[in-house]
Amino acid sequence: MNAQPAALAGQPGVIMPAHWRDFWALTKPGVIRLVVFTGLCGLLAAPGHIHPVIGFVAILCIAMGAGGAAALNQYHESDLDALMKRTANRPIPAGRMDREAALQFGLALSGFSVVIMGLAVNWLSAAILAFSIFYYAVIYTVWLKPNTPQNIVIGGGAGAFPPVIGWAAVTGDVTMLPILLFSIIFFWTPPHFWALALFVKMDYARVGIPMMPNVAGEKSTRHQVFGYSLVLFAITMAPYALGLTGATYGISAAVLTGIFVALAARVGFRVAGEGDTLKPEKQLFAYSIVYLFMVFTALVVDRAVVPVIGV
């Protein structure tokens, strides 16, 4: 792998060595935590048994695949990242690593994760993992993100695969419950990300990325944040309504998603004035991260307390 350091942007001849922390940063570790956690929850919620070592390998492969896809994303978007305040200090735009090193690192992580998953776990989970990497690195990053304000809506599928992969690693199949877990993350993504986009919209406008607030306007985006939160409520309650989970999950999901809807309503029906600090938007974004962790935790606890066979 070519880890030749890049020249510091704007200072020819000044070279900063690529550090292991830069490779770690390429994997977007903050995002990986959520990916690994939902993948682990899918694995723990699945009926049947998996050897702990094989289970660990499956989760490690999910982490590697997500990290590889993130590195490929940063490789492709390095020019845009350099223009955005939120991303300018990433390894490539900051001049700590050249693009070729990032590309090789991303391809290696992605390839190893799929091959190891297939050989050590099963090929269904490996195939889903491979498609999720392709979805994020190509369908979302290359095609959707720069071309349509629906990028987050359609692209939400990229981050929704981990629980399905975890489930398939145990069972070798995909049934209704993992599909619903996929759907929860899929419909959670737009209000989660648009809450962020509302208070960093100038960054996206500067680089020409058609995020919803910049294309459809704040009012439309706010209404959609609230609308998707209502869909999320229905999808999150579906596992309980269909008898796939017990009351522990049902009650937890109702309370947690009810809070989500209330916060989304504050965002959806307000008008930001001059000098507005956008506190409700920041609160929704922060809660949305905690929310997903808690809903999936409730699922695992529910499945441990009230095992459901054959779902």
Side-chain angles (χ1 to χ4, degrees), residues 1 8 25 30 38 72 108 128 197 213 217 239 255 294:
M1 182 182 299
L8 188 62
T38 56
L72 294 174
I128 301 171
V255 172
M294 295 179 71

Side-chain angles (χ1 to χ4, degrees), residues 1 6 26 41 44 58-59 107 164 173 180 189-190 210 229 251 276 298:
M1 182 182 299
L26 279 180
C41 289
L44 295 175
I59 298 305
L107 290 174
V164 182
D173 62 16
L180 289 174
T189 302
S229 74
I251 295 172
D276 198 304

Side-chain angles (χ1 to χ4, degrees), residues 185-271:
I185 301 175
F186 184 87
F187 286 102
W188 163 88
T189 302
H192 160 75
F193 206 93
W194 284 337
L196 170 67
L198 283 168
F199 58 84
V200 296
K201 66 177 184 178
M202 295 309 297
D203 260 0
Y204 290 118
R206 188 179 301 116
V207 296
I209 296 177
M211 284 297 173
M212 192 63 70
N214 305 100
V215 175
E218 279 201 23
K219 183 176 181 180
S220 175
T221 303
R222 291 175 181 280
H223 290 170
Q224 291 187 64
V225 164
F226 178 65
Y228 272 98
S229 74
L230 296 179
V231 176
L232 177 64
F233 187 91
I235 294 295
T236 306
M237 294 307 300
Y240 176 69
L242 294 174
L244 305 179
T245 61
T248 300
Y249 171 84
I251 295 172
S252 300
V255 172
L256 292 168
T257 316
I259 296 172
F260 192 105
V261 171
L263 291 173
R266 291 178 60 199
V267 172
F269 298 105
R270 71 186 294 266
V271 176

Side-chain angles (χ1 to χ4, degrees), residues 144 147-156 194 210-212 224 228:
L144 291 172
N147 293 307
T148 172
Q150 295 298 320
N151 45 26
I152 290 303
V153 179
I154 306 170
W194 284 337
M211 284 297 173
M212 192 63 70
Q224 291 187 64
Y228 272 98

Side-chain angles (χ1 to χ4, degrees), residues 3-16:
Q4 180 68 31
L8 188 62
Q11 299 184 42
V14 179
I15 295 180
M16 299 179 65

